[in-house]
Amino acid sequence: MLEHRGDDLQGMDAVVHMAELSNDPTGQLAPHITYEINHKGSVRLAELAKQAGVRRFVYMSSCSVYGVATEGDVTEESPINPQTAYAECKALVERDVKPMADDDFSPTFMRNATAFGASPRMRFDIVLNNLAGLAWTTKEIKMTSDGTPWRPLVHALDIAKALICVLEAPRDVVHNQIFNVGDTANNYRVKEVAEIVAETFPGCALSFGSQGADNRSYRVSFEKINTQLPGFKCEWDARRGAQQLYNVFKQIDMTKEDFESRGFTRLKQLEYLIRTQQIDKDFFWSK
């Protein structure tokens, strides 16, 4: 479809590309389509943007490209080790778009930590939001794993702030650069996130299992973005984010049906569209 849409980019100063299949479980649902959309489609959009004279191209990548990292905090220069189709596609887009940079086309790659936070179209398929939803609707967080893997977290509003800072920064600061987006203080073990949520939601019981931990585990350094990108600093941590969600759930009197509805979990919604034949095997809308 993008073959015929290059004109839409004419006259644009910048393109911020975040329209991909998300997240890891969704990517695994149909890996071949994930590669078509997230890898080939994203590279094609960058090519069209460059052809249209767009000077800045900001790609929303992910810290999930690090996958498994056992030796200290990884930086933008560390080897990557993607474990899923979603993460592999992020790495492939970075690889293929970086060589396109020149005097007239300036890409920037934002490796976002795992997002959290309230929004009008909530996502309950990300760790802090999911645990908060369980705490509110069931008053219990019952983990099957031991919760030892590390995850960096970042609030959606801090991601938006980073994006604004990238677009406003001098070109030489962000040209063909990768930035981990978050704060080094916001690296948590999953069990720590669960403990914070359980403490924030009154009456929530918390338990852990003994199953082996998810092999994806990484601590991330965010020194580069906090020292080199003018104006950026995270304003949110997990505790403040959990309190925000508690306040929102209380205000709207959120129900278990709301929490479990397909509209707030990407994988459930895609499975529904496939099952009802509203989209075909290639994820195009059916006629």
Side-chain angles (χ1 to χ4, degrees), residues 2 15-28 30-31 33-46 57-65 84-97 108-112 123 125 266-267 270 283:
L2 283 174
V15 168
V16 178
H17 179 39
M18 60 181 75
E20 295 181 336
L21 287 178
S22 175
N23 48 2
D24 290 310
T26 302
Q28 296 303 101
I33 300 300
T34 300
Y35 283 100
E36 288 293 319
I37 295 173
N38 290 17
H39 175 215
K40 293 182 180 179
S42 294
V43 173
R44 180 60 180 150
L45 178 61
F57 184 86
V58 183
Y59 177 64
M60 303 300 268
S61 188
S62 169
C63 283
S64 65
V65 298
T84 63
Y86 172 77
E88 288 174 0
C89 287
K90 294 293 189 187
L92 290 170
V93 175
E94 290 183 10
R95 180 200 70 184
D96 292 346
V97 174
T108 305
F109 307 91
M110 299 174 64
R111 289 181 180 168
N112 299 311
R123 285 189 60 187
D125 54 1
R266 303 282 177 85
L267 182 60
L270 272 175
F283 288 16

Side-chain angles (χ1 to χ4, degrees), residues 130-150:
N130 181 261
L131 294 174
L134 288 170
W136 176 260
T137 59
T138 69
K139 295 196 177 300
E140 181 179 25
I141 296 175
K142 190 174 183 180
M143 299 189 65
T144 57
S145 73
D146 58 11
T148 57
W150 287 95

Side-chain angles (χ1 to χ4, degrees), residues 122-126 129-130 132-133 249 254 258-259 264-265:
M122 278 293 301
R123 285 189 60 187
F124 285 122
D125 54 1
I126 43 183
N129 288 13
N130 181 261
F249 298 165
M254 190 179 76
D258 293 330
F259 173 57
F264 303 120
T265 299

